């Protein structure tokens, strides 16, 4: 019997070992879940081999064992977590409470009660033990998030009303949100730059930058991220954040201080040029255009060099001039490129042309770290979405995400994260987790 080891590396990708001399990468496209793709691949592998295949699926520190027969039937053995059934596998619906399968936590086999009359103080010793430095007296691990009761949706309401502990569905929005929060705490290889870009004005670059900055700081911790207005002449960042910057809290003052005393800006002095926001994130206002000066390539680079000594992530809020030196720096140095696109033909076309030009100049690998964020808004044309998504995926972008309409973003007022709609916060969390995942696995990309 052959075996496959499959590791789910992101929401849309998985890596297969055992299918040949080299590892096989699976990807979910056209709305498929990665679990459905894994099921399809395993069935095809079993059919080609003409014999059952033992499949081990690893996801978020948990593993599941499956046996896939040549006729396509899937059996589960010794599960350590929920196993989503493929969409084409018939399921028996329970006739009580809810019309969907309910997952319950099961006591591990090793914790079974001893037989009647057995010596409860004597425990069998395994034939072979792997040396470990962990004491047997250490506190047990906290149960994985998938075993925690649902808090939202139908299952969450049932838990609240009936005092139950029904877990969320594996593919539910609540589980995706929990997985996104977990991935946001992943260790990063070093200082990273996330660029928000679209040459079309009024597409939501600054609101996305402000929201992303707040979400990352809230979940990774204060003073981990900073958003910088790198427009040629300052954009609207200072006018949209909850706490406005004071005089001198801008890129020009920061660069001037470093020029006067190179290497002397210590963490205690950095607060003179940054403005702390309620979520623990910081912002640096843009160039005010005094004396007719604009922010150039070297200015943006110098700002990043200073902040790289004190922060993990720099979020670059760009302007609309693709010929500006600061715009060129932000796009060519981006570890992740975020492109907000409203459902308007002109905004989608401008973003698509920008990506094609970047792919031609920076190479196709730029698209592998690009996320397009489709946004809803008044006056949008939904029929544009199908053509736009297809065009962006054909260009090779990593993924296309979707943001719901957020009145506070569209209002032009200051953005307080606590006043955002819940759906907006959840969507920002998923986008942020995708960004962190791309940064964390940068070394794995060709």
């Amino acid at each position: 019997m052959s075996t496959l080891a499959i590791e789910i590396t992101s929401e849309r990708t998985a890596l297969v070992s055992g299918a040949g001399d080299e590892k096989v990468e699976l990807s979910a496209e056209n709305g498929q879940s990665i679990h459905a793709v894994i099921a399809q691949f395993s069935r095809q592998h079993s059919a080609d081999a003409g014999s059952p295949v033992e499949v081990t699926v690893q996801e978020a520190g948990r593993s599941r064992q499956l046996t896939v027969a040549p006729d396509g039937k899937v059996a589960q053995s010794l599960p350590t977590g929920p196993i989503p059934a493929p969409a084409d596998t018939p399921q028996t619906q329970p006739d009580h409470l809810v019309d969907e399968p309910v997952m319950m936590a099961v006591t591990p086999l090793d914790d079974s009660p001893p037989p009647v009359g057995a010596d409860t103080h004597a425990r069998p010793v395994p034939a072979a033990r792997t040396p470990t430095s962990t004491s047997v007296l250490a506190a047990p691990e906290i149960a994985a998030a998938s075993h925690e009761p649902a808090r939202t949706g139908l299952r969450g309401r049932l838990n609240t009303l009936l005092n139950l502990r029904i877990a969320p569905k594996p593919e539910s929005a609540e589980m995706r949100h929990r997985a996104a929060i977990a991935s946001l705490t992943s260790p990063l290889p070093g200082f990273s730059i996330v660029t928000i870009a679209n040459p079309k004005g009024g597409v939501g670059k600054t609101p996305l930058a402000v929201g992303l900055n707040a979400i990352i700081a809230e979940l990774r911790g204060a003073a981990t991220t900073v958003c910088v207005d790198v427009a040629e002449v300052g954009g609207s960042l200072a006018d949209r954040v909850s706490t406005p910057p004071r005089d001198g809290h801008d890129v020009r003052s920061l660069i001037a201080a470093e020029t006067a005393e190179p290497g002397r800006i210590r963490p205690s002095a950095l607060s003179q040029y940054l403005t702390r926001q309620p979520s623990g994130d910081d912002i640096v206002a843009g160039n005010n255009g005094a004396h007719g000066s604009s922010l150039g390539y070297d200015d943006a680079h110098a700002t990043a060099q200073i902040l790289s000594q004190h922060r993990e992530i720099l979020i670059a809020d760009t302007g609309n001039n693709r010929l500006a030196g600061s715009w060129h720096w932000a796009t060519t140095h981006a570890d992740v490129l975020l492109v907000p696109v409203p459902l308007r033909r002109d905004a989608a076309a401008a973003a698509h042309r920008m990506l094609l030009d970047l792919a031609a100049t920076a190479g196709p690998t730029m698209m592998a770290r690009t996320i397009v964020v489709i946004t809803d808004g008044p006056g949008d044309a939904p029929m544009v979405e199908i053509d736009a998504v297809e065009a962006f995926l054909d260009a090779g972008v990593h993924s296309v995400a979707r943001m719901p309409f957020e009145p506070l973003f569209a209002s032009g007022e200051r953005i307080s994260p606590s006043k955002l709609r819940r759906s907006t916060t959840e969507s920002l969390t998923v986008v942020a987790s995708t960004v962190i995942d791309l940064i964390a696995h940068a070394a794995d990309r060709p």
Side-chain angles (χ1 to χ4, degrees):
M1 181 181 296
S2 59
T3 61
L4 292 177
I6 303 178
E7 178 186 2
I8 298 179
T9 53
S10 73
E11 187 179 3
R12 297 180 57 186
T13 60
L15 205 58
V16 182
S17 301
D21 295 335
E22 298 181 354
K23 293 184 177 181
V24 178
E25 184 173 1
L26 304 180
S27 60
E29 299 177 354
N30 301 324
Q32 282 186 303
S33 72
I34 190 60
H35 299 284
V37 174
I38 290 173
Q40 182 179 2
F41 179 87
S42 302
R43 285 173 169 168
Q44 186 61 50
H45 187 80
S46 177
D48 293 341
S51 62
V53 177
E54 292 287 346
V55 182
T56 300
V57 181
Q58 294 183 337
E59 181 181 17
R62 298 177 296 123
S63 63
R64 314 190 280 279
Q65 288 75 39
L66 307 172
T67 301
V68 182
D71 60 1
K73 292 183 178 180
V74 180
Q76 175 183 348
S77 60
L78 296 179
T80 60
I83 299 180
D88 57 349
T89 301
Q91 301 181 13
T92 303
Q93 300 290 340
D95 56 3
H96 60 283
L97 291 183
V98 291
D99 59 352
E100 57 188 28
V102 177
M103 183 195 73
M104 304 296 291
V106 180
T107 303
L109 297 179
D110 290 341
D111 292 335
S112 303
V116 177
D119 180 3
T120 57
H121 297 285
R123 295 183 64 86
V125 179
R129 292 179 61 91
T130 303
T132 177
S133 59
T134 303
S135 170
V136 295
L137 300 179
E141 294 182 4
I142 297 175
S146 60
H147 293 294
E148 295 178 4
R151 303 184 185 93
T152 63
L154 175 60
R155 294 182 173 211
R157 292 193 294 272
L158 286 172
N159 287 338
T160 301
L161 294 173
L162 304 177
N163 195 28
L164 301 176
R165 293 185 58 82
I166 306 173
K169 291 179 66 175
E171 292 298 321
S172 65
E174 183 173 2
M175 281 304 297
R176 290 197 300 271
H177 188 244
R178 291 185 188 184
I181 291 176
S183 69
L184 271 167
T185 60
S186 300
L188 299 181
F191 179 70
S192 303
I193 297 168
V194 179
T195 296
I196 318 289
N198 186 330
K200 186 72 175 176
V203 298
K205 292 190 291 291
T206 298
L208 179 59
V210 172
L212 187 69
N213 199 39
I215 286 291
I216 293 177
E218 182 179 343
L219 296 174
R220 288 191 70 84
T224 57
T225 179
V226 57
C227 183
V228 182
D229 186 345
V230 297
E232 184 180 21
V233 176
S236 59
L237 178 64
D239 298 322
R240 299 305 306 272
V241 292
S242 180
T243 303
R246 297 188 295 272
D247 290 341
H249 287 216
D250 55 60
V251 290
R252 283 295 182 202
S253 300
L254 181 64
I255 295 171
E258 173 66 17
T259 303
E261 295 185 82
R264 298 297 297 275
I265 299 181
R266 303 190 181 279
S268 57
L270 194 65
S271 60
Q272 299 177 31
Y273 312 100
L274 277 61
T275 305
R276 177 60 54 90
Q277 301 300 309
S279 297
D281 50 314
D282 297 302
I283 70 111
V284 181
N287 170 41
N288 60 13
H291 309 296
S293 62
S294 61
L295 197 72
Y297 185 101
D298 293 339
D299 298 320
H301 184 71
T303 302
Q305 288 290 99
I306 299 168
L307 296 174
S308 67
Q309 306 301 314
H310 308 281
R311 296 293 182 267
E312 290 183 332
I313 297 171
L314 185 154
I315 297 176
D317 182 19
T318 64
N320 306 326
N321 183 4
R322 292 176 57 187
L323 299 179
S326 56
W327 193 95
H328 180 60
W329 174 87
T331 51
T332 56
H333 285 77
D335 295 286
V336 177
L337 179 66
L338 279 179
V339 184
V341 178
L343 293 179
R344 300 198 312 264
R345 187 77 63 180
D346 59 344
H352 190 242
R353 286 193 297 269
M354 177 192 76
L355 291 177
L356 292 178
D357 289 345
L358 286 174
T361 56
T365 56
M366 168 66 79
M367 298 301 99
R369 54 181 186 270
T370 296
I371 305 168
V372 172
V373 182
I374 301 291
T375 59
D376 280 338
D380 288 351
M383 69 284 297
V384 174
E385 182 171 8
I386 296 177
D387 293 340
V389 171
E390 183 177 352
F392 289 127
L393 292 177
D394 286 345
V397 301
H398 174 271
S399 57
V400 178
R402 217 180 191 290
M403 286 281 296
F405 173 65
E406 173 51 61
L408 188 55
F409 283 0
S411 69
E413 300 294 328
R414 295 195 179 277
I415 299 170
S416 174
S418 62
K419 295 181 180 179
L420 295 175
R421 288 180 172 182
R422 179 176 178 175
S423 58
T424 300
T425 301
E426 291 177 348
S427 298
L428 282 170
T429 303
V430 173
V431 171
S433 72
T434 307
V435 168
I436 297 299
D437 185 68
L438 276 173
I439 295 173
H441 295 87
D444 300 335
R445 295 196 299 265

